[in-house]
Amino acid sequence: MKKLQFKVSINAPVTKIYDFMLGITSKSTYEQWTSLFNPTSTFEGSWDKGNKILFIFVDEKGEKGGMVSKIAENIPNRFVSIQHYGLLKADKEITEGPEVEKWANGFENYTFEENISLDSFLGTTVIVDLDTTEDFIDYMNQNYPKALDKLKEICEK
């Protein structure tokens, strides 16, 4: 596993960014920024600590694929830790085997830092730390910054 980090500064309150990034009030805000990874990106499940969550897309055959994960931590407006432990292929959850072992116990963490100086609000920094396999480094390096720019755009509207 390789560790990658991405950051974006957003001129919006942390409460709005957390809500939009996770799609708490409306799943559509999550789907907008994650569409940069796949136009059909969505999730099923809950962002509550300890809960299972599926990160889903529909492939060219019309089958669901994605990641099987659990929320390792969720401190609202501060920190979210997602532990990936399986793959979704053709609507089936796969949690064992060589393909899964490459991803097993990989984390994707979101840290939200409000920037305040002398009583003035300077925006919020979102930091994403993630584990990825060698195969996906280029994909993540190309797409994560674009996705965070999209998150910035929708949060600053």
Side-chain angles (χ1 to χ4, degrees):
M1 287 279 218
K2 298 289 182 185
K3 295 191 178 302
L4 300 176
Q5 185 178 80
F6 304 97
K7 290 183 183 184
V8 65
S9 293
I10 302 174
N11 189 19
V14 70
T15 51
K16 181 178 185 179
I17 298 165
Y18 172 87
D19 179 32
F20 280 29
M21 190 170 192
L22 304 187
I24 304 288
T25 302
S26 170
K27 193 187 277 191
S28 70
T29 57
Y30 171 87
E31 292 168 346
Q32 284 176 58
W33 78 271
T34 59
S35 70
L36 278 289
F37 297 107
N38 184 296
T40 64
S41 288
T42 190
F43 68 88
E44 289 176 10
S46 163
W47 290 95
D48 295 333
K49 181 179 177 175
N51 283 13
K52 179 169 106 175
I53 190 166
L54 302 176
F55 297 99
I56 300 168
F57 63 87
V58 178
D59 68 16
E60 56 283 345
K61 296 179 200 158
E63 295 178 338
K64 281 185 185 178
M67 302 295 290
V68 180
S69 309
K70 87 170 187 180
I71 303 303
E73 185 60 81
N74 187 341
I75 303 166
N77 308 315
R78 306 271 316 218
F79 181 74
V80 177
S81 181
I82 305 159
Q83 181 180 14
H84 302 299
Y85 67 89
L87 299 173
L88 189 66
K89 280 199 158 185
D91 265 343
K92 290 190 178 81
E93 291 182 25
I94 303 163
T95 55
E96 302 178 331
E99 243 185 309
V100 173
E101 285 166 19
K102 292 193 286 187
W103 286 96
N105 294 315
F107 284 85
E108 186 170 342
N109 296 327
Y110 306 151
T111 303
F112 303 87
E113 294 178 352
E114 274 193 313
N115 304 310
I116 299 168
S117 171
L118 299 174
D119 298 330
S120 62
F121 175 70
L122 303 173
T124 303
T125 302
V126 177
I127 304 161
V128 178
D129 291 291
L130 63 92
D131 299 320
T132 191
T133 61
E134 197 74 46
D135 316 355
F136 277 89
I137 290 174
D138 289 342
Y139 175 81
M140 291 298 184
N141 280 330
Q142 286 172 11
N143 291 295
Y144 231 112
K146 293 176 190 170
L148 290 176
D149 285 346
K150 182 66 173 178
L151 178 66
K152 176 183 175 80
E153 178 190 316
I154 63 174
C155 288
E156 290 181 350
K157 278 186 186 172

